[in-house]
Amino acid sequence: MKRVSSLCFALFSAALITPLLWGQSITNYTFSNSTATFSQIYGQSGTTTTTLSGDDAVTGMIPIGFDFVFMGQFYSQVSASTNGVLCLGSTAPTAYTNNLTSQTPRPIITAFWDDLIMNSGVGYFSYRTDGTSPNRVFTAEWYNVEFLSGNGDLFSFQIKLYESSGIIEFRYRYEDNSNGDAGSASIGITAVGTGSGNFLSVNSSYNAVSSTTETTSITTIPPTNTVLTFTPPQVTLDAPTNLTFTNVLPGQMTLNWQDNTSNEIGYLIQRSTDGTNYTNVVLTSPNATSYTATGLTPSTTYYWRIYAMSEGKASAALSGTQATTGPLLCGTRQIPSTNYPNIKAAIDSIYTLGLACSVVFELLSSYSSSNEPAFPLVFNGPIPGASSSNTVTFRPASGVSSVVIGASNSTTILDLNGASWVRFDGRPGGTGTTRALTIANVNTAASAGTIRLYNGATNNTFQYCRILGATTGTSTGTIYFGSPGTSIGNRKNTFDNCNIGDTLSTTQPAIAVYAVGTTTILSDSNTISNCNIYNYFANTTHYGIFGSTGYTRWIITGNSFYQTTARTFTSSVTFYHIYLVGSTYSGGHTISGQLHRRHSAERRWFAVAVQYQHDDAYTNHVRYLLLSRHEYVRYNTDYWKCHHQSLLPHSEYLNGCLQWHLCLRREFDHPKQRGRQRICNERHHTPEHNDEHATDVQRDLWVPLLDARIRGDHQREHCRWNHDEC
């Protein structure tokens, strides 16, 4: 069988939000083996036959025709693969390597998972829904499939989902088994979770299942007319009653109900803003009688439905409607104070009360991080009422010379999980240039950052702050831009005039700023400007700014990159100040006005590494770089040294670099640019970088070079740089 990396698409349907899971267990499903005549649906009236064919292909989302209950959740859509996989609520994986234990997305239902093929004009995938509510049956059929590496044996199988009972059936029929083909398949069902206890795997005799050991070597489908059945507990569920709403605020409300049954695994709560399209919110614990919904939008009417649930059945729905109130919070508050003893209390209040106008929380000199109940301090989701005109700001109060938000935490100190319009301003009273606010993590764990932005964090600003870390991890940083949200990336966040450095003299962070994303939801237009980025060091490859796949159009301007002391290397090390290299979708960056310095001349340091992407329409802009001697610019696999190397072939501009007492001569190779220009050092000074560690010698000289405009095409325009002493 072939062995290549599989590609999975975790695209959850709009009908499902990943729930909290409680008492349900897949081991509560019983298994049986019986016989019944296989009734083909392909070619029959009322059947939908898809275009699914070939090898490792998948369908889009297919309607079941009713809400099917599986493991205490409603599913209204499925997706199928040519390899025999049916995925509930998500696009099926293309993986041909059968793996009930940990393959994602989940849950998965598979009557025969192997490296199969559906040849065009021979094999077909069809589906249909029969019956009337509440006794409908959905059938998915793989007709005339064969092993990819086989000799032509054909077989068919079906998966049936039963509305009223939650039962799952697999049915089989041989079409042609004259060649004796054999595979190595799995048969079974999975929960959302992975690992032992989250799957039921049928053995090779088709007469038993295991939740701890997966059988992955089933050679053939079961005999014709075999029926394998998975049956959830068949219980009677009484619907909840007496729905009321309390604690109704701009961003939350509490639902209360009466528990009328004793055998539920929990209560499934759904909500809607139009009364038609509902999403699953949470599956509560058994016997629950209330639930507090948070993260709601102010002045919005919500429609609610509550069901008592078992693994495969649901009660009738209890329904109700309630609107949130308008935003309430406005003006300036102080921390600590009676209502706001710590930052955690302030964060809770903005989510509870919402923003009626911009809100400022001023940190007094008496503020202490030890009064926080725990770290990280989490901004969890959109803030009710927040907008460009309604922001929330945390800053030192006027006259406060220093305040620290910090601890030792193995994850992070500030966590912006999908939050927007949050500002941390280190200037006392919001004026001047003093950096009086320090945000620090002294934990050296590989997972320990200081500020984390992810899941669609947008329009957040950190200015005039000291942001310090000590993580030694190579997949995080002092500042960490993580995965985007399901519909929006981490966009338009700004770090301006900040000091981004180390908390410990003994351990430096390996990466100051780390960003990694996806190719499906891009995170763009983040800005890092006028910052001092220093003391990122490890005896492995390390970075000032690291940006990878899915991060586009960064603006990196006016920053200083340096070490405050000489470093001792114990091995050969490559050091990048700015590294923006992703496999796809990582272009469009603007990099300008940087000052790069180093202490250790015996190792190669790269000032900038940028990888051009041919599948990305964005053009990179690299301009006005101030480089120390022996530092390089890397572009794709080419290296550009300030005083001798080709221009970057796919950048819009490259306008200058620091030269040490040199005169420059440019010789142009392109026919349209023949001629020679001679420029001598005129001792222009560097821009002001607010560098608290720099000396006058370290600020050094800026030599403006003539504009060399190179288009982002493939014209191979190059020029050589040579130098003579003045």
Side-chain angles (χ1 to χ4, degrees):
M1 295 173 63
K2 61 185 177 180
R3 289 292 180 264
V4 297
S5 298
S6 64
L7 177 64
C8 300
F9 297 92
L11 302 176
F12 286 85
S13 70
L16 177 65
I17 294 178
T18 303
L20 297 174
L21 304 177
W22 293 93
Q24 76 276 29
S25 172
I26 203 164
T27 59
N28 290 337
Y29 283 73
T30 60
F31 172 77
S32 62
N33 180 319
S34 61
T35 59
T37 301
F38 183 96
S39 298
Q40 172 185 320
I41 67 169
Y42 168 69
Q44 304 301 313
S45 176
T47 295
T48 300
T49 299
T50 70
T51 58
L52 182 67
S53 65
D55 178 36
D56 298 339
V58 298
T59 68
M61 301 309 298
I62 293 170
I64 296 174
F66 53 85
D67 286 335
F68 178 69
V69 179
F70 180 72
M71 293 293 289
Q73 294 291 310
F74 287 119
Y75 294 91
S76 61
Q77 294 178 310
V78 295
S79 173
S81 79
T82 54
N83 295 319
V85 171
L86 196 71
C87 197
L88 297 176
S90 303
T91 301
T94 59
Y96 61 85
T97 303
N98 36 305
N99 181 2
L100 294 172
T101 305
S102 59
Q103 178 66 55
T104 58
R106 299 161 82 86
I108 286 171
I109 299 173
T110 177
F112 197 77
W113 185 359
D114 204 347
D115 195 4
L116 308 177
I117 188 169
M118 302 174 70
N119 284 314
S120 179
V122 177
Y124 299 94
F125 176 79
S126 305
Y127 66 92
R128 63 184 293 153
T129 301
D130 295 297
T132 58
S133 177
N135 298 305
R136 288 166 289 192
V137 180
F138 172 80
T139 302
E141 179 181 88
W142 289 256
Y143 175 71
N144 271 358
V145 297
E146 55 188 292
F147 295 109
L148 179 68
S149 58
N151 295 309
D153 282 355
L154 300 174
F155 48 91
S156 303
F157 52 85
Q158 297 174 339
I159 295 175
K160 290 180 175 288
L161 308 178
Y162 289 81
E163 179 182 17
S164 62
S165 63
I167 287 174
I168 301 168
E169 277 186 357
F170 301 157
R171 300 193 178 202
Y172 303 89
R173 184 175 73 186
Y174 277 104
E175 309 296 343
D176 175 8
N177 63 343
S178 60
N179 297 305
D181 290 344
S184 55
S186 292
I187 298 173
I189 61 177
T190 80
V192 172
T194 60
S196 179
N198 285 298
F199 62 87
L200 291 179
S201 177
V202 178
N203 66 10
S204 57
S205 299
Y206 321 115
N207 60 8
V209 294
S210 173
S211 64
T212 58
T213 302
E214 179 183 356
T215 300
T216 59
S217 56
I218 299 174
T219 56
T220 62
I221 65 167
T224 294
N225 296 329
T226 296
V227 179
L228 305 182
T229 304
F230 297 85
T231 304
Q234 298 299 295
V235 299
T236 300
L237 298 168
D238 295 321
T241 55
N242 300 331
L243 177 60
T244 62
F245 299 90
T246 57
N247 193 32
V248 178
L249 294 165
Q252 71 178 52
M253 65 179 69
T254 299
L255 288 69
N256 310 278
W257 63 89
Q258 181 175 318
D259 176 16
N260 295 322
T261 193
S262 60
N263 52 9
E264 81 277 6
I265 62 173
Y267 283 94
L268 178 65
I269 298 176
Q270 296 182 322
R271 77 171 177 232
S272 170
T273 55
D274 60 11
T276 301
N277 301 295
Y278 284 83
T279 58
N280 296 341
V281 177
V282 67
L283 181 65
T284 72
S285 61
N287 305 314
T289 58
S290 66
Y291 170 73
T292 298
T294 59
L296 305 181
T297 302
S299 305
T300 301
T301 298
Y302 287 91
Y303 301 82
W304 300 92
R305 295 195 302 209
I306 305 175
Y307 301 85
M309 304 295 295
S310 68
E311 279 85 355
K313 301 186 74 174
S315 72
L318 171 63
S319 301
T321 303
Q322 177 64 51
T324 52
T325 64
L328 302 174
L329 199 60
C330 189
T332 301
R333 307 288 191 275
Q334 293 183 327
I335 304 174
S337 61
T338 301
N339 292 328
Y340 304 101
N342 47 50
I343 295 175
K344 173 63 166 58
I347 295 173
D348 290 344
S349 74
I350 63 177
Y351 280 97
T352 300
L353 301 178
L355 304 184
C357 73
S358 289
V359 175
V360 177
F361 291 98
E362 294 198 324
L363 301 173
L364 304 179
S365 58
S366 56
Y367 170 80
S368 173
S369 294
S370 62
N371 292 328
E372 299 294 345
F375 283 95
L377 299 171
V378 181
F379 295 83
N380 195 14
I383 297 170
S387 66
S388 59
S389 58
N390 285 5
T391 61
V392 56
T393 300
F394 293 82
R395 72 188 186 202
S398 180
V400 173
S401 59
S402 178
V403 63
V404 177
I405 304 170
S408 176
N409 188 275
S410 61
T411 55
T412 191
I413 298 301
L414 295 180
D415 206 1
L416 278 66
N417 177 15
S420 300
W421 306 111
V422 176
R423 296 179 176 178
F424 280 80
D425 187 344
R427 300 172 299 170
T431 62
T433 59
T434 301
R435 300 182 182 97
L437 174 60
T438 299
I439 307 167
N441 192 352
V442 298
N443 197 298
T444 61
S447 58
T450 301
I451 296 172
R452 180 168 60 180
L453 304 97
Y454 67 111
N455 199 23
T458 63
N459 294 290
N460 301 293
T461 300
F462 291 80
Q463 59 182 351
Y464 292 96
C465 297
R466 300 176 70 240
I467 304 169
L468 311 179
T471 179
T472 56
T474 56
S475 58
T476 187
T478 302
I479 298 170
Y480 175 77
F481 289 82
S483 296
T486 56
S487 61
I488 188 170
N490 305 310
R491 305 181 64 242
K492 298 184 178 180
N493 300 289
T494 298
F495 289 82
D496 181 60
N497 277 289
C498 292
N499 286 351
I500 305 169
D502 56 332
T503 54
L504 302 173
S505 60
T506 55
T507 304
Q508 286 71 46
I511 303 172
V513 180
Y514 184 96
V516 64
T518 69
T519 61
T520 53
I521 305 296
L522 301 183
S523 297
D524 66 282
S525 305
N526 296 296
T527 299
I528 302 174
S529 57
N530 307 309
C531 293
N532 299 311
I533 303 174
Y534 59 93
N535 290 354
Y536 42 97
F537 175 79
N539 271 302
T540 57
T541 300
H542 38 282
Y543 311 90
I545 298 175
F546 177 97
S548 186
T549 295
Y551 278 84
T552 62
R553 294 181 289 185
W554 279 54
I555 301 169
I556 303 173
T557 181
N559 303 290
S560 293
F561 297 81
Y562 55 91
Q563 305 290 312
T564 61
T565 185
R567 301 298 180 193
T568 301
F569 294 85
T570 59
S571 62
S572 180
V573 173
T574 301
F575 192 119
Y576 294 94
H577 296 310
I578 302 173
Y579 186 89
L580 301 175
V581 182
S583 58
T584 49
Y585 301 103
S586 60
H589 307 297
T590 297
I591 305 169
S592 64
Q594 318 297 329
L595 173 61
H596 307 281
R597 300 191 309 278
R598 69 172 193 164
H599 279 268
S600 303
E602 70 278 4
R603 291 292 184 267
R604 172 179 286 176
W605 290 23
F606 294 106
V608 182
V610 181
Q611 182 172 342
Y612 177 76
Q613 299 302 329
H614 294 281
D615 57 356
D616 191 342
Y618 302 128
T619 300
N620 293 306
H621 302 260
V622 183
R623 57 183 82 168
Y624 297 111
L625 304 181
L626 286 72
L627 308 182
S628 297
R629 188 164 19 182
H630 304 299
E631 293 192 318
Y632 292 72
V633 172
R634 175 180 175 179
Y635 206 77
N636 283 358
T637 58
D638 296 326
Y639 302 105
W640 183 88
K641 195 172 180 178
C642 253
H643 50 273
H644 187 196
Q645 187 56 276
S646 298
L647 284 179
L648 312 189
H650 302 298
S651 283
E652 184 74 9
Y653 291 98
L654 182 60
N655 287 60
C657 63
L658 182 66
Q659 297 296 324
W660 296 67
H661 309 293
L662 302 176
C663 290
L664 301 180
R665 183 179 64 201
R666 290 204 302 189
E667 295 181 2
F668 295 97
D669 289 342
H670 194 277
K672 295 181 181 179
Q673 296 177 318
R674 295 205 181 277
R676 235 174 233 196
Q677 304 275 353
R678 186 179 181 90
I679 312 165
C680 284
N681 190 334
E682 298 179 2
R683 299 191 64 84
H684 291 284
H685 293 287
T686 63
E688 177 59 42
H689 288 274
N690 296 319
D691 184 352
E692 63 186 24
H693 299 293
T695 66
D696 290 338
V697 173
Q698 289 170 328
R699 292 184 187 277
D700 231 307
L701 305 175
W702 169 261
V703 180
L705 303 180
L706 293 182
D707 180 10
R709 185 180 183 90
I710 304 299
R711 298 290 182 182
D713 53 23
H714 306 281
Q715 296 179 355
R716 298 181 176 272
E717 299 184 33
H718 297 286
C719 64
R720 294 195 306 272
W721 299 76
N722 297 309
H723 61 84
D724 301 310
E725 292 186 0
C726 291

